[in-house]
């Protein structure tokens, strides 16, 4: 962290106890707008790639480039948050997504396929900033409600995910009215949604929540420079376990979900059944996330991860035993979404709490990078696995990842790293105290820069 950024954090006035409510409102609104843009382009990307390339075999590149873009941009946006705060980082992410949508429309008009793929990659910034938003919700959240606050931002994605796909018809009408190529109207909607999101972040996140968190944490200038995310993975076992939980859970969800439409259609299911199955799956991912946030705050983070893995296990057993029954597959996909929600909400909270405040953005960016890469790998490998062993076999293969994740969560329970770092938990908003923090903490696994090494001098 540069001297400029640490100084600005140290000089950030404490806005008081009502500040977290404002932060959650701003982040939720930005998440709704971002989700709206993503939902409006969800199906259009594949159709537009097919239209420009002339080959339906390449249609999957739309989602691939979007995910790859989100993965590549995760760490730069996290580093920007570390240097300049959440407000600048999230606003920049929205601006990059705006550029991506504009490039996509231009590429379609010019019929340039490589430019279209580049635009899809830039549009992945919208996914990256949505992921970072859930972490921003934890910056000034008290430990007792940290998981719940994160889950509320995850839940707000539901609005855009549900409304966005229903804008397909209106977006095409808009595109024709503007004289644009077919399938590009949705990207105009995405562009406008991200413009509004950038304005919301830039104006609403004042003061910056990450800078407020740093100022509450003590004399920022005396803290060591933040460690990089990969360094933290090597040196902090709790951070490594938390990132592994999030990444493997995402890989399981993406791998099974991405092959479900293929499996159902080849077994005679109508498009309506496929659509209903995926819609209920998405609802399972987001709609009940506040419940899992509450559980993570009450039962513990790792314990709630185990709940998520249990839901995964039941879902995968259903895919194994009931692959030929549409009703059982639908039930499995709902449980798969619920398992992802429980694991991601609690696992993301574990990521945040595994290191000190000044190290969190770096680790969070690395977590998002790993999560997206594992999701992309899960989707890519699921196809060959489906071809070799069928949908039932795919469920059994995914159970191996569930077992690894469950063992990882149980290790977190045994190590005592399932609770927030007490070195930071006592600092209250608006406190005026000078107190040395003892480094005798239950987090004995922490290595490298210590979260409790500086003298806390909250002003």
């Amino acid at each position: 962290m540069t001297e400029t950024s640490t100084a600005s954090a140290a000089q950030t006035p404490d806005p008081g106890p009502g500040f977290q409510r404002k932060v959650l409102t701003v982040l939720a609104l930005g998440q709704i707008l971002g989700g709206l843009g993503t939902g409006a382009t969800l199906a259009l990307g594949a159709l537009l790639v097919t239209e420009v390339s002339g080959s339906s075999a390449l249609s999957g590149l739309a989602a691939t480039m979007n995910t790859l873009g989100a993965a590549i941009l995760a760490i730069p946006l996290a580093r920007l948050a570390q240097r300049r705060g959440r407000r600048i980082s999230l606003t920049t992410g929205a601006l990059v997504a705006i550029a991506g949508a504009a490039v996509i429309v231009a590429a379609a008009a010019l019929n340039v396929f490589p430019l279209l793929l580049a635009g899809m990659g830039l549009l992945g910034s919208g996914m990256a900033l949505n992921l970072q938003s859930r972490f921003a919700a934890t910056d000034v959240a008290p430990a007792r409600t940290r998981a719940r606050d994160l889950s509320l931002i995850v839940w707000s994605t539901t609005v855009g995910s549900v409304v966005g796909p229903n804008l397909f018809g209106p977006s095409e009408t808009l595109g024709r009215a503007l004289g644009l190529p077919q399938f590009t109207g949705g990207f105009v909607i995405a562009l406008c949604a991200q413009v509004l999101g950038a304005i919301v972040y830039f104006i609403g996140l004042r003061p910056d929540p990450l800078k407020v968190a740093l100022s509450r944490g003590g004399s920022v200038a005396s803290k060591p420079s933040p460690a990089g995310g990969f360094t933290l993975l090597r040196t902090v076992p709790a951070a490594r376990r938390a990132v592994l939980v999030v990444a493997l859970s995402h890989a399981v969800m993406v791998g099974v979900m991405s092959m479900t439409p293929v499996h159902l259609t080849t077994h005679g299911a109508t498009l309506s059944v496929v659509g209903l199955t995926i819609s209920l799956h998405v609802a399972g991912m987001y709609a009940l996330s506040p419940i899992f946030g509450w559980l993570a705050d009450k039962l513990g983070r790792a314990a709630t991860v185990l709940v998520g893995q249990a839901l995964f296990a039941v879902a995968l057993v259903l895919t194994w035993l009931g692959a030929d029954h549409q009703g059982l597959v639908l039930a499995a996909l709902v449980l798969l979404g619920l398992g992802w929600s429980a694991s991601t909400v609690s696992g993301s909270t574990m990521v945040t709490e595994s290191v000190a405040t000044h190290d969190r953005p770096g680790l969070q960016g690395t977590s998002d990078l790993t999560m997206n890469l594992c999701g992309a790998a899960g989707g890519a490998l699921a196809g060959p696995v489906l071809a070799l062993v069928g949908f039932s076999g795919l469920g059994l293969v995914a159970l191996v990842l569930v077992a690894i994740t469950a063992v990882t969560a149980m290790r977190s329970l045994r190590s005592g790293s399932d609770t927030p770092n007490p070195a930071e938990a006592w600092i209250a908003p608006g406190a005026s105290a000078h107190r040395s923090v003892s480094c005798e903490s239950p987090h004995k696994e922490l290595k490298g820069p210590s979260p409790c090494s500086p003298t806390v001098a909250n002003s």
Side-chain angles (χ1 to χ4, degrees), residues 25 71 85 120 125 180 204 207 213 217 222 246-247 259 276 298 316 348 359-360 385:
T25 301
M120 294 288 181
S125 178
L180 297 175
S222 70
V246 174
M259 291 300 105
L276 176 63
K298 296 297 182 183
L316 296 174
S348 297
D359 283 327
R360 286 173 183 170
V385 172

Side-chain angles (χ1 to χ4, degrees), residues 270-282 330 334:
T270 64
L271 291 179
S272 297
V273 170
V274 173
L276 176 63
T277 301
I278 299 302
S279 294
L280 291 177
H281 166 72
V282 172
L330 187 151
V334 172

Side-chain angles (χ1 to χ4, degrees), residues 287-315:
L288 298 184
S289 55
I291 293 177
F292 294 119
W294 176 82
L295 280 176
D297 286 329
K298 296 297 182 183
L299 300 181
R301 317 325 187 191
T304 307
V305 169
L306 291 174
V307 172
Q309 300 309 303
L311 289 167
F312 271 158
V314 175

